[in-house]
Amino acid sequence: MCFAIPGKVKRIDDKIVIVDYYGEEKKAYNDIDNVVVGDYVYAQGGYVINRVPSEEAEEILAVWRETFFELQEVDLRLSRLDGGGANVDSKTRRILDRALESKPVHKEDLLHLMDLTDPSAVELLFKTANFLRQKYLKNSCCIHGILEISSYCREACAYCGLSAHHQALPRYRMTPDEIVNTAVEAIQDYQFRALVLQSGEDPGYSIAELAEVIRKIRSRAPAFILVSFGEVGIDGLSELFRAGARGLLMRFETSNPRLYAKLHPGSDLDSRILHIRKAYEMGYLIISGGLIGLPGQTHEDLVNDLFLAKELKTEMYSFGPFLPHAGTPLAASRPVDQIEVLKVLALARLIDPEQARVLVTTAYETLDPNARRKGLLAGASSVMLNVTPLAYRSRYDLYPDRMYQNTSLETQINETITLLSGLGRAPMDLGLR
Ligand code: 5AD
């Protein structure tokens, strides 16, 4: 997974390929050689990642065909706006109506929605976001895998359980061979088509080693590889891109520079943002976002975060709750109310209705076991599954009691497929740039 289905190449226009999926045409950038019209390909994140033999592709498409249209119907039913919200205040209705007409939403509008307390108004916000998600992205749900390769970190971020503050944490670092083998297994045996490699800022790997890991993975198994190793420098980013990385997962954490400086001693927001901007210019697909509920953070900060994510050309919005960790300076903070998280996901949909992939994060699932269902019905369109070997998972201790710490990959996949089919979502992402 992203259990992407193969598409058939209809036209080729230099490096741009037009791919057909059950009658729907999508564009992708051609990242491999020898593609010709009539080939079947897997595309992810806007890139063609490999060719699929015709027989195999036709078999997969035949199996999926019926399910595909059935799921679409379920989703359509669940995302209908049934004329509810009659007793919702007129300002909220006006804002949501504008959003439904695809008119731009302004900062004051988002602030108003973020401040809502009336449950029926909040409900209408979620339904509107879900409606927009269905309208533009249909029922495709993007499922990426994430492989946490090392929990060593040289940074001292005040909220993070991997930070240097947490000295009691036993650390691990996977060897390059282990990383390659685990990634290849996720791609070949579990059919992930998009995989994030993540670590703390670990000086234990050189960029050259990480680049070699990516090269090896891509030579053994085709996938869309995203990197998330923190601030590796602009040269580092371009070396990783040359090795075949095509996505960057890097949150800016908060768009408030003062709050950022307080939480990240010795670092500044500008440097973070520069990484993201440069990565986008290099051709990386961007996953970014921030933490919700940081001490001192206001609703205005959160709305600014959403605008910053959009400005940075974020393809997938990754916003999750801050969960206080006992081994950090923010141990005594109060966890955020789950409704705040859901509002931010819905607002991400409103601010970028046509393009945004909106992620339900594991942190949100840790806060609320029904997070996935709730999030997917409030504008979200993607989830990430943890493919880190079980032996290491609990040592990637970002925050306490992380969901799926002891859940095998098989179980995670089965649970995800069951949930998605109940919601009429197809575990794939046809949305190509
Ligand atoms: N609560 C929630 N998320 C956290 N992260 C780090 N620490 C915490 C925490 N205590 C998130 C950061 C980082 C990502 C890898 O994990 O946003 O970008």
Side-chain angles (χ1 to χ4, degrees), residues 3 10 40 94 118 137 180 182 199 296 309 389 410:
F3 268 1
K10 297 287 268 195
Y40 286 97
R94 210 170 45 243
D118 169 27
L137 299 188
V180 173
T182 311
S199 68
E410 285 84 356

Side-chain angles (χ1 to χ4, degrees), residues 399-410:
Y399 46 82
D401 303 319
R402 204 155 61 110
M403 271 285 262
Y404 309 117
Q405 259 185 77
N406 301 306
T407 315
S408 71
L409 189 50
E410 285 84 356

Side-chain angles (χ1 to χ4, degrees), residues 159-162 198 228 250-251 253 272 290-291 320-325 328 363 396 398-400:
Y159 47 81
C160 183
L162 296 190
Q198 189 178 74
S228 185
M250 180 182 273
R251 284 178 167 175
E253 314 294 358
R272 192 86 175 166
L291 287 162
F322 153 60
L323 303 172
H325 191 300
T328 68
Y396 205 75
L398 294 164
Y399 46 82

